[in-house]
Amino acid sequence: MLNATNKIEIRVNGESHTCLAKTALPDLLTQLKLNPRLIAVEYNGEILHRQYWTDTQMQSGDRLEIVTIVGGG
């Protein structure tokens, strides 16, 4: 869904979110106030390795599952 303001709808952890079309994944994570060093990202059903994050741009209908890595023992 793209409107005149160039915003798209994506799903993050099952919830609807909007962002600008072609927002890079690291920028989206910043908007969501997430620390990129402490998370793992599944992008449209596939684990997305960190080396591809900067090349990944959001498109309408994308689905992300973001999990926080928790240390402990």
Side-chain angles (χ1 to χ4, degrees):
M1 171 178 205
L2 183 62
N3 62 29
T5 62
N6 205 28
K7 290 202 175 197
I8 58 170
E9 185 174 319
I10 61 172
R11 297 204 60 85
V12 178
N13 293 347
E15 295 183 11
S16 179
H17 286 271
T18 58
C19 66
L20 292 176
K22 299 189 178 182
T23 296
L25 178 57
D27 296 332
L28 178 66
L29 297 175
T30 298
Q31 290 171 22
L32 296 173
K33 297 179 176 36
L34 296 169
N35 183 340
R37 292 179 295 166
L38 300 176
I39 61 171
V41 177
E42 181 183 279
Y43 179 71
N44 293 331
E46 308 246 342
I47 297 295
L48 188 62
H49 295 280
R50 200 170 299 271
Q51 69 191 43
Y52 301 115
W53 286 13
T54 55
D55 296 331
T56 302
Q57 296 180 341
M58 298 301 103
Q59 298 179 44
S60 183
D62 279 347
R63 294 173 290 109
L64 290 94
E65 291 295 326
I66 301 173
V67 293
T68 303
I69 300 166
V70 178

